[in-house]
Amino acid sequence: MSNCPTVPVETGTSVSEFAKALESGRCPVCALLQADEFQELCRWVGGNVADEGNRRRLDEAGGFCNYHFWLLCEIHSPQSGSLVNNYIAAKFLDLLREESNGGGQVRAQWLRNAAEKCPLCIHLARREAQHVHAFVDWLEQPPSWQAYENSRGLCLPHLLHCQPLMGNESLRRQLDHFQSAQIEHLQKEMRELVRKFESGQRWEISPDEWDACKRIIEKLVGRKGTANPP
């Protein structure tokens, strides 16, 4: 893969981060967001609700969305999970006690609020916007296309996020062409895996062929938890 050109990125995503993301074999924006998500999860795994910033964000949201609640559960220790979840449960009970009837509307509003204001979702949405703008700025520099063409390319959701930000119509068409070509390439890899598997040649299956069935999912819908463009 060609080295990424050294161009300034003013949205907090460095050229070296793009280089690593492009070499990951994944959508570069998805790869960057996965790293962001893990770092942000680690902020909560210590159970540090005494931190003023963490506590304020939890007070505003009430809790986490379903997806991030369970994702945190996978990496929490029992001690850190108990610290965070006890704080959330206490706030939920306080909310019920403030209402005279403690009815279903209060509970439903708490669920909506936690989903819409999940601290992790809000952080990742902000980082996603930064990465998309930085990626467009980077890709519009003429030397960047070769590095992109040698990568696995953007997933469909992030392609659709990037294209409206591009002033270069020719580049938008190039992205569309590459998207189709990459999907066809993944199809070829999947067909090769099936052929080799069925002909008793499992030892000849390449790592890319093993990964193709997962890569096509990300290619079409983005990493787990990626929202569709508006």
Side-chain angles (χ1 to χ4, degrees):
M1 180 179 198
S2 302
N3 291 331
C4 294
T6 305
V7 297
V9 176
E10 299 179 354
T11 50
T13 311
S14 70
V15 172
S16 62
E17 286 178 303
F18 273 133
K20 186 175 180 181
L22 285 165
E23 292 169 356
S24 69
R26 303 181 54 198
C27 164
V29 177
C30 286
L32 289 166
L33 281 172
Q34 182 169 348
D36 290 334
E37 185 173 56
F38 179 74
Q39 291 173 5
E40 189 66 7
L41 286 167
C42 289
R43 285 171 51 85
W44 296 96
V45 168
N48 188 13
V49 289
D51 177 85
E52 183 178 351
N54 284 359
R55 190 170 64 250
R56 183 180 66 253
R57 291 193 295 165
L58 268 185
D59 288 346
E60 291 172 356
F64 301 100
C65 69
N66 179 287
Y67 172 71
H68 282 120
F69 236 144
W70 283 110
L71 197 57
L72 277 166
C73 185
E74 291 176 9
I75 60 176
H76 266 310
S77 69
Q79 185 262 354
S80 66
S82 294
L83 282 169
V84 174
N85 294 347
N86 178 60
Y87 183 85
I88 293 171
K91 288 293 181 178
F92 174 66
L93 291 175
D94 286 345
L95 184 66
L96 288 182
R97 294 185 187 107
E98 289 174 5
E99 299 296 323
S100 58
N101 56 9
Q105 288 185 347
V106 175
R107 295 174 172 85
Q109 182 57 45
W110 182 86
L111 282 174
R112 285 193 295 269
N113 207 50
E116 294 169 3
K117 297 184 179 181
C118 169
L120 279 149
C121 288
I122 289 174
H123 173 77
L124 290 174
R126 182 170 61 249
R127 292 295 290 158
E128 183 177 43
Q130 291 172 342
H131 293 321
V132 165
H133 280 81
F135 187 79
V136 169
D137 290 346
W138 172 82
L139 192 60
E140 289 186 332
Q141 305 300 317
S144 302
W145 179 257
Q146 185 179 0
Y148 180 74
E149 197 170 27
N150 289 333
S151 75
R152 289 285 177 165
L154 292 165
C155 66
L156 178 57
H158 288 130
L159 173 74
L160 294 174
H161 278 301
C162 286
Q163 283 184 320
L165 302 175
M166 292 178 172
N168 186 328
E169 178 63 29
S170 174
L171 185 59
R172 287 200 294 269
R173 289 197 299 269
Q174 278 182 276
L175 278 176
D176 280 336
H177 174 75
F178 184 75
Q179 183 83 359
S180 297
Q182 189 56 54
I183 290 172
E184 291 171 357
H185 183 71
L186 286 165
Q187 284 184 297
K188 180 180 178 181
E189 290 176 332
M190 288 186 287
R191 287 194 295 264
E192 275 297 288
L193 180 141
V194 172
R195 183 188 66 80
K196 292 174 183 176
F197 196 90
E198 291 179 348
S199 62
Q201 297 175 300
R202 292 184 60 180
W203 61 90
E204 293 187 8
I205 297 173
S206 71
D208 282 338
E209 289 164 355
W210 280 117
D211 289 343
C213 63
K214 294 179 181 178
R215 283 175 170 165
I216 192 64
I217 296 173
E218 183 178 89
K219 193 71 176 173
L220 295 174
V221 298
R223 66 184 290 268
K224 187 185 296 184
T226 298
N228 289 333

